[in-house]
Each structure stands twice: as C-alpha cells, then as structure tokens.
Amino acid sequence: MTDSKRIALFPAPPARAAATPQRPRDQLGRPLHDLRISVMDRCNFRCSYCMPRETFHEHYRFLKSKERLSFEEIIRLSRLFACFGVEKLRLTGGEPLLRPNLAELVGELTAIGGIKDVALTTNGVLLAQHAAQLKANGLSRITVSLDTLDPEIFKQMSGGFAERDRVLEGIRAAQAANLTPIKINVVVERGVNDHTLLDTVDYFRGSGIIVRFIEYMDVGNRNQWTLERVVPSRELLERIGARWPLHPVQENYRGEVAERYAFDDGAGEIGFISSISNPFCGTCTRARLSSEGVLYTCLFAQSGLDLRAPMRAGASDDELRELIASCWRARSDRYSELRQSLQKREPQQHKIEMYYIGG
Ligand SMILES: C[S@@+](CC[C@H](N)C(=O)[O-])C[C@H]1O[C@@H](n2cnc3c(N)ncnc32)[C@H](O)[C@@H]1O
Ligand code: SF4
C-alpha cells in the first residue's frame, strides 16, 4: 500500500522505535517472533468449543469499549514488539471484523518498521464487505474458520447461526481481493463434524485454498473438553490419504504450527495442527495480547501481564519495553507437552478463554 492511500491515524513514531532488534529469549531459549492481537472479545457466533451459549449468554459481561485497547495503544505496543524482532502480527478475537474500522488499524500496522506480515483470523461472516479494503490497506493473508460444509452441523457448531453461505461468500470475496494464501481452519470434534471432513477437502481441493484441521483443544474451562472428542491428526491423515494420496511437505519456516501434506496429484495441500497429539511447544515463538491489553505467553496460560495499566498511567516506551522483555525472559510455558501431568496435578486449572486471548 502506498503512503498516500494509507489513512494516517497517528503520527509516525520517532526513529528510535525502529532500533536494531534485541530479541529476548525465554527460559527454554525460544525467541519472540510473532504477536497475536485480540482486537475484540465479542463474537457474532457461539461456537460450542469456544464460547458456549450457556456461559456466553445475553447477560455475559464483555469488555466496554473504553476497556479495550484503542487503535493508538495497539499500534504503540506493536511498535515496541517490533523493536524486539517481532515481524508477524495476527489480528484475531473474538471476532475481529466486529471491531469498527479494522482496515484502518491494518494500514497502520503494516507501516510499522520491521513488520513484514499482518494476517487476520475471522469467522468470515462479515468478510465479503471488508475483504477489498483489508487488502487495499495491506493485509497479507487471511484465515477463515469453517468447521463443516453441512449446513445443519455448521449451525449446530456455531451456536445456532445458519451463516454457512455468508462465510463461503466471504471466502470468495477474499479470493477476488487476492488475499492469498487463504487458509481454512477446521476444528475437528469426534462425533460432531469428523464425518463431514472429506467433503470439505473435496470442495477446496484444486482451488489454491489450504484447509487445516485443528485438533479440538482444551483451551479455557468452559467448553466441556474431553480427550474422547479429539480426533488425532494421524487418524484423519489416514482417512483423507486413503481417498486422495498425500505426501509430507517441508515446513515453510521453523516453528510453523501446521504439518503440511500435498496431494500426490498436484491439487494443492492441506495441514494438520496437532496441539494434543503432537505438541509444538518447543518451537513456539508466539506472544498474545488480549483485547484489554494483557500479555500472555501461552494459549493455555493462567495469568498474564497487564500492559494497559502502566501505559495509561504514563509509562515510557523504555519502561514498557522492559516489562515486555522481562515477561518473555521469564517464560517457561509448555502446557501442551505437559498436559497430562498438569491435568493430574491440578484438574481444575483456571485457564484463559480462547475468545479473550485470541486463537
Ligand atoms: C478464537 S477464534 C478467533 C477468530 C475468529 N472468531 C474465528 O473463529 O476465526 C480463532 C481460531 O481458534 C479456533 N478455536 C477456538 N476454540 C478452539 C478449540 N477449543 N480448539 C481448537 N481450536 C479452537 C477457531 O476455530 C478459530 O479458527
Ligand atoms: S471460534 Fe471464533 S467464531 Fe467461534 S465463538 Fe470463538 S471467536 Fe467466535
């Protein structure tokens, strides 16, 4: 995007903000590389595995707009993260497209020195109306969540919203806007949508769109997760491979979460995200910022570091940078690798919810 096209919401930072990155390493030697930013805790779906209706009902207290980080605050923190060598930002939620003027934020984030990639994860319902503007403002890539093509099961999994066709329309709009590569996230739940997944593969094969199957995860405490509902990626790989032979493909970069497989007949690739059966904590370089400005160093964290309070109390960039670096240096999280022993030791751990921290 050219500077003239970009809407200048906030003045450019002093040159110092783009200083040579000093990338902190955590207790396990992992660098800080990506930042996921939840821009909105609310959602227009109630997926049973994420925001079950029984908990997230009409009286549930979501954040008020003043409690959420403003665009200015998100941009400031993103610049500080970029100083540490963070190159990739992913906007998520809740549903990020519910945040008004999101494309403007994208424009500002892509202009930060050192940021090479700004991506978005969305449920796709509002995508058709925003895809072109997001692309124009510099969004590099998009991931759309679509658990099944079966309209009834879609409705059931999204918490009663019969929006499958709008999501498909959003995906077409993203294609037309050239927001590529488009990835489709499919959460797999045994006995719920696993019998529909070959149809999903069939639908997207040959389109250039990459479908990724995610093992149902025990994020948060409210989704009634049990191991029996997880379909291990290996099982799925066998089922899909029996219909369309597949071969493994090398990861695009170290620490890529999805294991990639390509169709032998050249019709593209699919991926598997296997946090349960094959944890990837060892190469995890992701930090997460909640919509109210709490920094988490793991998707399964029990607590985080509040950056909003010091920021609103007038902390300098140096002070904030020190807070971020100390938090990352202290990090020793590897929940997925330790899942079984942690669950035995403390079955009722209070974990942060996915809608709040962002997937
Ligand atoms: C929390 S959502 C936020 C962005 C957007 N609302 C969406 O659904 O794409 C991000 C991703 O997390 C995934 N997700 C949510 N809960 C999950 C769970 N319990 N296990 C695995 N993936 C989950 C969703 O399917 C989605 O792809
Ligand atoms: S997975 Fe995404 S769409 Fe579904 S409830 Fe969670 S935040 Fe909303």
Side-chain angles (χ1 to χ4, degrees):
M1 184 183 50
T2 60
D3 274 342
S4 59
K5 257 182 157 180
R6 187 164 63 79
I7 303 155
L9 277 182
F10 307 107
R16 165 176 211 298
T20 317
Q22 300 162 321
R23 196 173 284 192
R25 293 204 171 244
D26 72 8
Q27 295 289 307
L28 303 175
R30 298 167 295 188
L32 171 55
H33 194 257
D34 332 26
L35 178 64
R36 299 204 168 181
I37 306 173
S38 170
V39 292
M40 172 54 90
D41 55 325
R42 288 174 183 269
C43 189
N44 43 3
F45 276 2
R46 287 293 178 272
C47 302
S48 48
Y49 50 75
C50 178
M51 296 178 81
R53 251 185 203 292
E54 310 80 67
T55 306
F56 299 93
H57 42 69
E58 55 186 303
H59 301 299
Y60 186 82
R61 189 194 173 286
F62 289 99
L63 297 173
K64 300 200 172 84
S65 14
K66 272 194 288 189
E67 293 172 309
R68 284 186 205 109
L69 291 186
S70 65
F71 281 2
E72 190 172 10
E73 289 168 328
I74 293 173
I75 293 161
R76 182 177 177 201
L77 288 178
S78 301
R79 279 183 192 133
L80 298 178
F81 275 91
C83 293
F84 292 125
V86 166
E87 296 173 350
K88 290 164 70 171
L89 302 176
R90 177 171 292 276
L91 303 181
T92 176
E95 175 45 41
L97 290 178
L98 287 179
R99 181 85 187 235
N101 306 317
L102 188 75
E104 290 177 14
L105 176 65
V106 168
E108 294 291 333
L109 295 176
T110 54
I112 294 175
I115 297 297
K116 297 188 178 145
D117 184 18
V118 179
L120 176 74
T121 305
T122 171
N123 64 24
V125 173
L126 301 173
L127 185 54
Q129 67 209 67
H130 294 293
Q133 192 61 49
L134 288 166
K135 177 70 183 179
N137 284 22
L139 189 76
S140 347
R141 296 176 298 124
I142 197 149
T143 299
V144 182
S145 302
L146 175 63
D147 297 327
T148 180
L149 289 169
D150 181 298
E152 276 313 306
I153 299 173
F154 181 98
K155 190 172 166 192
Q156 179 195 334
M157 289 184 82
S158 62
F161 296 89
E163 303 276 25
R164 185 207 66 165
D165 290 348
R166 276 181 81 186
V167 176
L168 290 174
E169 198 191 324
I171 294 168
R172 281 193 292 273
Q175 262 183 317
N178 207 16
L179 270 172
T180 51
I182 299 171
K183 292 183 181 154
I184 304 292
N185 273 359
V186 180
V187 176
V188 182
E189 233 185 301
R190 193 182 295 284
V192 179
N193 64 337
D194 59 327
H195 61 291
T196 70
L197 302 182
L198 289 183
D199 292 342
T200 307
V201 175
D202 199 19
Y203 184 86
F204 289 108
R205 248 171 59 85
S207 68
I209 293 175
I210 302 168
V211 177
R212 298 162 353 143
F213 297 100
I214 307 179
E215 288 176 350
Y216 178 29
M217 293 187 286
D218 53 335
V219 267
N221 296 83
R222 294 166 177 167
N223 62 8
Q224 312 291 323
W225 182 89
T226 61
L227 193 54
E228 292 70 47
R229 294 217 213 154
V230 178
V231 181
S233 295
R234 185 130 300 276
E235 181 183 327
L236 212 50
L237 174 64
E238 277 165 20
R239 279 201 237 164
I240 299 169
R243 171 99 174 260
W244 300 284
L246 291 157
H247 58 273
V249 183
Q250 216 185 345
E251 58 186 7
N252 285 312
Y253 52 88
R254 188 176 142 72
E256 185 171 20
V257 292
E259 290 165 83
R260 302 169 60 205
Y261 285 83
F263 295 107
D264 288 358
D265 65 4
E269 67 176 79
I270 56 175
F272 296 91
I273 300 177
S274 320
S275 157
I276 308 293
S277 66
N278 190 14
F280 36 82
C281 304
T283 53
C284 177
T285 55
R286 278 172 291 283
R288 297 181 143 85
L289 191 61
S290 77
S291 15
E292 59 179 335
V294 181
L295 177 62
Y296 292 94
T297 54
C298 178
L299 184 54
F300 303 94
Q302 300 193 48
S303 62
L305 171 74
D306 182 6
L307 292 174
R308 188 190 64 183
M311 199 161 38
R312 291 191 182 173
S316 67
D317 282 358
D318 281 344
E319 286 163 339
L320 289 170
R321 257 194 295 262
E322 188 43 42
L323 283 173
I324 295 167
S326 314
C327 176
W328 190 263
R329 283 193 209 105
R331 176 188 196 237
S332 59
D333 310 89
R334 50 191 195 106
Y335 175 88
S336 287
E337 286 179 354
L338 304 176
R339 177 174 279 110
Q340 281 184 338
S341 58
L342 289 173
Q343 282 177 352
K344 251 187 222 145
R345 207 182 328 143
E346 201 190 330
Q348 291 308 322
Q349 296 172 62
H350 173 77
K351 289 181 263 116
I352 251 21
E353 296 294 325
M354 181 75 123
Y355 80 95
Y356 171 75
I357 194 176

